Amino acid sequence: MSEPDTDHPEESVLHVGGASPYDVVVGHHLADHLPGMVGDALRVALVVPDALEELVDDVVAPLVESMPERDVTVLAVPDGEEAKTAEVANACWEALGEEGFTRSDVVVTLGGGATTDLGGFVAASWLRGVRVVHVPTTLLAMVDAAVGGKTGINTEAGKNLVGAFHEPAGVLCDLSLLETLPRDELVAGLGEVVKCGFIADPEILRLVETTDPADLVPSSPVLRELVERAVQVKIDVVVADLKETGGSSGSGHPGREALNYGHTLAHAIERAEDYGIRHGEAVAVGCVFVAELAHRAAGLPAELVDRHRAAFARVGLPTSYAGASFEDLLATMRVDKKSRGATLRFVVLDDVGAPRILSGPSEEHLRAAYEAIA
Ligand code: GLY
C-alpha cells in the first residue's frame, strides 16, 4: 500500500511503477510538491477551467517562487466536457506554439476529469509528448482520470475516440481541494471508490459499510484512506495492463478492463439521459445491474448482489433506474467499445476481488437483470 511520509504524516506517496514511473501524493495542502514534480522546466502551461480561476494563484505561486525565471502561462478552458473538443485542444497547441514550449517544459492540469483528459492529450500530442502533472479537483478525477495515463477528447464520432496513453510525471490528490466540491459530486466520486472495493479491495467495502456516510467529508481520515486504496487499486491494474490489452497472467483477470466494472450499462444510461446523470451515479446502477446479471448467468451469490445494493445506497448513490427501455439500453450496449462484433462483453465478479469477462449473456438474463434494477 501507500508509504506514510514520516516528515509529513498528513501525506502518503503511492508509487506507480512501469516504463514511466511516477508518484501519486495523497493528502492535504500539497501545492508545495508541484515544483518537485515539474522539475527545472522553464515554461509551465497551466490548463484550468474558467470556473476554477480562484485556485490558479495557489498553483502558480510555488512554481514561480521555486524558480523566479520560470514562465507560467494559464490556458483557461471551458468547464466540464465542453473542454474536450478539437477546437479547445487546438487553442492550447496554438498557445504552446506562441510560448515556444519545448520538450523540457511541462503542462499542469488543475480540474476535474475533463480537464485532465484534455490537458493530458495536449501534453501527449505536443512535440509528440511533453511531461504533464495532474492536480485533480474532484474525487472522481483523483481516483480515476488522473491516474493511469488515459487522455482524450470527444469528436463527432463519439466520446474519447481520439486520445493517447500518456502517463503523468506526477499526480497530487489534494483532499483540501474537495472542500468546495458540491456534496453530490463527492458522492458521485464514491461510486468509483466502491467499484474499486468490489473488483479488488474488500477493505474499501468494510470501511464504507462501517463508517457513517455523513462522516465521509474531505477532512476525514477515512475518506483519505478510501482515496489511497482506490488509487492503489487503479495503480495495480494499470501497471499490469497499461494499454488495456488484457490480463497477461492467464489467470482470467480482465486486466485494465476490470476498471470498467458496471460501465457498460452506465455508459448506455448516461447516453440515454443525454449525460444529465453523473458518471458515478450511473456506475452505481451499472454495478448493481451487472451483479444481478452475474447472479443469473454466472452464479454470483444473492448475498453479494445485496451487498452491491447496500454499499452504493449507503453512500447515497442510486441502485435502480427508471428511464430508458431495456431495448434502447441494449441497442446502445451493443455498440459499446468493449463489445467485440455483435457479442456483448461484461466484467462480472465470481467473488469480491475476482473479476472476469462474461461474453454473450443471453437476452433473457440481460432482461431479467434490467428488470431487477427497474
Ligand atoms: N477509467 C478507466 C481506465 O482508466 O481504464
Side-chain angles (χ1 to χ4, degrees):
M1 252 301 318
S2 57
E3 290 167 24
D5 181 331
T6 41
D7 291 334
H8 303 276
E10 66 285 6
E11 300 164 13
S12 309
V13 179
L14 288 74
H15 186 64
V16 187
S20 310
Y22 59 98
D23 286 339
V24 181
V25 184
V26 182
H28 294 268
H29 303 292
L30 301 178
D32 285 350
H33 285 271
L34 257 182
M37 288 185 170
V38 162
D40 58 4
L42 267 180
R43 293 172 203 80
V44 169
L46 176 62
V47 178
V48 56
D50 292 320
L52 296 183
E53 205 188 340
E54 78 275 12
L55 298 178
V56 164
D57 286 350
D58 293 346
V59 170
V60 172
L63 288 172
V64 174
E65 276 160 24
S66 60
M67 196 170 154
E69 67 273 35
R70 175 146 52 207
D71 275 333
V72 182
T73 304
V74 176
L75 303 183
V77 298
D79 300 329
E81 289 288 304
E82 299 291 305
K84 288 179 60 174
T85 67
E87 291 72 28
V88 176
N90 188 50
C92 292
W93 291 322
E94 294 291 337
L96 297 184
E98 275 164 29
E99 290 300 316
F101 216 72
T102 71
R103 278 230 172 91
S104 51
D105 297 327
V106 174
V107 172
V108 173
T109 70
L110 175 68
T115 309
T116 305
D117 284 359
L118 167 81
F121 180 60
V122 168
S125 47
W126 183 254
L127 300 179
R128 300 189 179 85
V130 297
R131 283 178 296 152
V132 62
V133 173
H134 295 308
V135 186
T137 58
T138 65
L139 180 57
L140 192 71
M142 288 180 188
V143 299
D144 191 14
V147 179
K150 274 192 183 173
T151 74
I153 56 173
N154 304 327
T155 57
E156 290 290 313
K159 281 176 69 110
N160 294 323
L161 295 181
V162 175
F165 287 102
H166 186 61
E167 289 185 275
V171 179
L172 292 183
C173 295
D174 186 339
L175 300 167
S176 318
L177 296 173
L178 301 180
E179 295 287 354
T180 52
L181 192 69
R183 181 76 196 164
D184 287 349
E185 295 291 341
L186 189 91
V187 167
L190 288 170
E192 292 282 3
V193 173
V194 175
K195 175 209 78 178
C196 286
F198 279 109
I199 62 169
D201 184 357
E203 182 61 13
I204 289 179
L205 299 180
R206 196 196 64 76
L207 287 168
V208 165
E209 288 163 349
T210 56
T211 306
D212 181 343
D215 290 343
L216 294 176
V217 292
S219 57
S220 141
V222 179
L223 187 75
R224 176 176 153 192
E225 183 171 355
L226 287 172
V227 171
E228 288 171 6
R229 286 185 172 276
V231 170
Q232 190 63 52
V233 168
K234 178 134 196 193
I235 289 172
D236 292 344
V237 171
V238 299
V239 165
D241 180 25
L242 177 68
K243 297 206 170 166
E244 207 166 328
T245 47
S248 53
S249 64
S251 65
H253 191 285
R256 188 166 185 158
E257 208 177 336
L259 297 169
N260 287 331
Y261 187 56
H263 281 55
T264 309
L265 185 78
H267 287 150
I269 290 176
E270 286 177 277
R271 196 171 157 167
E273 297 300 318
D274 209 9
Y275 300 96
I277 181 170
R278 290 180 182 84
H279 178 66
E281 294 168 353
V283 166
V285 175
C287 288
V288 176
F289 166 81
V290 89
E292 291 282 3
L293 179 65
H295 175 55
R296 285 159 177 80
L300 185 74
E303 309 84 78
L304 263 181
V305 182
D306 294 345
R307 197 173 183 193
H308 279 72
R309 271 203 180 78
F312 287 108
R314 185 172 170 85
V315 296
L317 286 165
T319 56
S320 62
Y321 175 68
S325 67
F326 172 70
E327 285 72 20
D328 284 353
L329 294 176
L330 185 62
T332 307
M333 288 194 289
R334 285 201 191 283
V335 296
D336 185 279
K337 61 179 185 269
K338 286 180 298 307
S339 299
R340 308 248 162 103
T343 308
L344 277 172
R345 285 160 59 80
F346 292 89
V347 178
V348 293
L349 298 185
D350 286 327
D351 198 352
V352 172
R356 70 172 166 93
I357 297 295
L358 173 72
S359 280
S362 71
E363 196 166 319
E364 181 198 344
H365 284 148
L366 288 163
R367 187 182 291 277
Y370 170 82
E371 281 164 4
I373 59 141

